[in-house]
Amino acid sequence: MSMTCRLTTAGTATVIAVLALAGCAGSGNATPEAHRSTLQPSPSASPSETPTADAALRNLTFEDGGALSASTLPAFGLEVSALPGWKQTGEDQTAGSREYTNTDGAIATITQQRITDLDPTVGDRAATAGLFTASGLPADRLEEQLLPTATGGTAQFLSIAGHNTDGSWSATVARAFTKPGAALIVKVQTSSQEALRPDLHDILIHAQVVVA
């Protein structure tokens, strides 16, 4: 698999920690960057939009990703108005990302990107793990996350969390979609380990994965 994505960390080094993040979306430090073509964030997307045949998939397991067409557009339907205490504080259209800040100082970065060199034959799970391992992060520490879909189901993601050298804690939750060649990424950075899980939970339960 050809992979140009990489993960960057908030500090000069990161100690990967064992954090109980799995399942925190109801049903883990850095942001993967992708090869140049990006998807623009779509925080206004909502479950009320007319679903396509692909969007009609209730659940998006890694195996279900193979049923998507190459023309689909995975995105987050995050509505920041549904997140008390959070507000949008930045946007990078070239990276396809938006930044949100909580009143407790936590920072969440939501990224939607096209990845032009994903191999559709490897499957979504292997491609997602590749987003992390391409930067030397341990595949055996990746945890599964279930994010809600706009159709009332769940979508499988992988995550990793750790303690940065600047004292902060961060978690990244990511999913690669090999058929359309795209990645959805959530990163949350907090000042303490205790704040990481609830702040990440706030973002993930409102992410609402949409496939249009």
Side-chain angles (χ1 to χ4, degrees):
M1 173 177 59
S2 174
M3 181 68 65
T4 59
C5 302
R6 66 183 187 276
L7 296 174
T8 57
T9 57
T12 57
T14 303
V15 178
I16 302 302
V18 179
L19 299 182
L21 293 176
C24 71
S27 343
N29 152 3
T31 302
E33 296 178 3
H35 200 50
R36 285 302 147 225
S37 178
T38 64
L39 305 178
Q40 295 307 311
S42 303
S44 60
S46 71
S48 64
E49 294 178 350
T50 302
T52 64
D54 289 318
L57 288 170
R58 178 178 176 84
N59 297 308
L60 281 170
T61 65
F62 289 118
E63 293 72 24
D64 290 333
L68 300 177
S69 72
S71 62
T72 52
L73 184 68
F76 287 124
L78 178 69
E79 292 283 357
V80 70
S81 60
L83 288 166
W86 292 85
K87 63 180 180 180
Q88 185 176 336
T89 51
E91 181 174 4
D92 184 348
Q93 294 188 356
T94 63
S97 65
R98 285 182 174 168
E99 179 185 276
Y100 303 89
T101 302
N102 195 359
T103 52
D104 67 1
I107 298 174
T109 305
I110 310 298
T111 303
Q112 303 168 177
Q113 296 178 320
R114 284 287 190 194
I115 303 178
T116 60
D117 57 354
L118 281 177
D119 181 353
T121 67
V122 304
D124 286 8
R125 180 182 287 276
T128 300
L131 296 177
F132 297 96
T133 58
S135 294
L137 294 173
D140 61 345
R141 296 294 184 91
L142 298 177
E143 297 181 348
E144 183 179 313
Q145 299 290 338
L146 294 176
L147 274 65
T149 64
T151 52
T154 57
Q156 284 184 303
F157 281 64
L158 293 179
S159 69
I160 200 164
H163 190 202
N164 303 310
T165 56
D166 63 0
S168 65
W169 290 79
S170 59
T172 297
V173 183
R175 166 72 183 263
F177 295 84
T178 58
K179 287 290 284 294
L184 299 182
I185 306 151
V186 175
K187 176 186 175 181
V188 173
Q189 182 175 340
T190 63
S191 59
S192 69
Q193 182 178 356
E194 292 72 25
L196 183 57
R197 183 183 174 94
D199 284 334
L200 182 64
H201 179 268
D202 276 355
I203 296 295
L204 295 187
I205 63 172
H206 291 93
Q208 291 286 312
V209 178
V210 178
V211 180

